[in-house]
Amino acid sequence: MTERKKLVVKIGSSLLANTDLLTPRFGFMQRLLEDIARLKGDGYDVILCSSGAVALGLRTVGETPESAGLSDKQAAAACGMPLLLNAYKQVGHEYGLEIAQILLTLGDFEDHRRFLNTKNTMHRLLESAVVPIVNENDTITTEEIRVGDNDRLAAKIAQMVEAEEFIILTGVDGLYDRDPSEDGAQLVEEVADVTGYLDATRGKSTLGTGGMLTKLQAANMAQNSGCTTYIANGEADRPLSSVVRGERRCTKCLAHETPASGWRTWLADRLQMAGALVLSDEAADRLGTDEPIRRSDVISLDGDFTRGDVLHIYDTGGTERARGLSDFSSEETRILVNNPDLPADQLLGYHSKAELIRPNNLVLVEERHIPWDAPESAVG
């Protein structure tokens, strides 16, 4: 029996909601779900990462995209989600598709146990030929616990289910070498390294929360796990199958030939920064060996983190060198770093080797990763 391919699709708000009326675009949804049924017949399992709930609920709470604050958007999400899912279910039934909803927050990706639980649920739905529709739980999320954009959320889903292909549907044909409104702008049809195009990615749509920058960040995350990413215009008769079959213009971001393991990918590709350590240059140069990060290696630290959070590791010049799983909370780490001459047992009240990050819980930031800037308070 031929193994089915897994395809993750991210759909932006501007494709799903009429910009002026803030109502569902049923024409687009029919083309999309008809194409998903076609792809399922061709051996694909499809997962949708769908924006649109906030946009569809704004009119109910009497707000617009420009006027809505955080509480307005949370209330709009509560109103818009049943509208969005009802539209998906109505149209999906026309094509014999069963629909399920999965609402996630940042913690479902950053906490490894919750990540695995979500992964198991996703696989069980796919086994039952159900199309999961994933969205951030905007009704309860605040800035501190938000993923922030559905592009990177979708990339994490692609990593989670080990998808072979990932399509980001948007309002343009793909990535351009400059602002597409400028004269002479050229579509970039194939990308191996997205970092060379970051400066050409400013701006975002009225309804969305992410521009081309977040799409390249998402593509980079998918590439790291061996998943090919396509950035394509959603306004097509067959918005998905025409992309995977190479029948229309888009940007193809090539998967890495040697993808990282699931554990290393989870460590390396973060959605938010829990905390940061700045190491001495000597300690930073030892990263990647069998040596742990010890308290004597740390010049400064930043953030409020707990044991098991992933920290970003920098040298004194502010260059990110690695990411690793902390063995201590930020409070314990500060106590250890600020008292280097006192025994860890005495400081913590329990026996410990005072290894802040063990070597098997650390991954180097290689050329394949987009590095994160160090927090200003962590440098120096």
Side-chain angles (χ1 to χ4, degrees), residues 32-202:
L32 174 73
L33 292 170
E34 181 183 23
D35 212 19
I36 288 175
R38 183 181 293 113
L39 286 171
K40 285 177 70 67
D42 291 342
Y44 279 90
D45 286 331
V46 182
I47 298 169
L48 289 183
C49 293
S50 174
S51 304
V54 173
L56 293 178
L58 283 173
R59 191 170 63 170
T60 306
V61 297
E63 297 291 342
T64 67
E66 294 79 16
S67 67
L70 177 60
S71 62
D72 300 322
K73 292 177 180 178
Q74 290 174 322
C79 297
M81 188 55 70
L83 296 174
L84 180 65
L85 263 292
N86 184 56
Y88 272 124
K89 279 192 170 290
Q90 284 186 27
V91 178
H93 284 166
E94 294 182 31
Y95 303 103
L97 298 176
E98 291 295 337
I99 301 297
Q101 180 186 38
I102 300 178
L103 295 176
L104 301 174
T105 64
L106 181 69
D108 297 311
F109 294 103
E110 306 293 72
D111 181 275
H112 198 245
R113 180 179 296 179
R114 289 162 65 180
F115 180 89
L116 293 177
N117 287 339
T118 305
K119 178 178 180 178
N120 291 338
T121 299
M122 204 80 67
H123 280 297
R124 184 64 187 87
L125 290 170
L126 295 179
E127 286 173 5
S128 299
V130 175
V131 178
I133 298 182
V134 185
N135 198 355
E136 185 162 14
N137 193 349
D138 292 310
T139 297
I140 65 168
T141 52
T142 61
E143 291 302 322
E144 291 76 18
I145 62 171
R146 279 182 58 80
V147 173
D149 62 86
N150 278 339
D151 296 320
R152 293 182 306 139
L153 180 148
K156 292 298 289 187
I157 296 295
Q159 292 179 338
M160 178 185 288
V161 301
E162 299 174 343
E164 290 85 1
E165 293 173 297
F166 172 36
I167 298 177
I168 302 175
L169 292 182
T170 184
V172 294
D173 289 337
L175 169 69
Y176 284 79
D177 59 358
R178 70 195 80 171
D179 188 319
S181 64
E182 294 182 16
D183 290 338
Q186 298 292 318
L187 180 72
V188 181
E189 296 188 2
E190 191 170 279
V191 177
D193 180 6
V194 302
T195 59
Y197 297 93
L198 297 182
D199 289 339
T201 60
R202 307 306 173 191

Side-chain angles (χ1 to χ4, degrees), residues 23 79 145 213 232 240 273 335:
T23 54
C79 297
I145 62 171
L213 174 60
L240 305 178
M273 184 184 295
I335 290 171

Side-chain angles (χ1 to χ4, degrees), residues 174-250:
L175 169 69
Y176 284 79
D177 59 358
R178 70 195 80 171
D179 188 319
S181 64
E182 294 182 16
D183 290 338
Q186 298 292 318
L187 180 72
V188 181
E189 296 188 2
E190 191 170 279
V191 177
D193 180 6
V194 302
T195 59
Y197 297 93
L198 297 182
D199 289 339
T201 60
R202 307 306 173 191
K204 62 183 181 182
S205 69
T206 302
L207 291 178
T209 56
M212 191 57 69
L213 174 60
T214 64
K215 292 168 177 54
L216 288 192
Q217 291 171 332
N220 179 247
M221 292 164 64
Q223 286 178 304
N224 294 339
S225 60
C227 178
T228 298
T229 300
Y230 303 88
I231 304 172
N233 196 320
E235 301 291 1
D237 289 338
R238 294 182 291 110
L240 305 178
S241 60
S242 60
V243 171
V244 298
R245 294 172 185 172
E247 296 173 357
R248 65 186 178 99
R249 280 160 45 98
C250 65

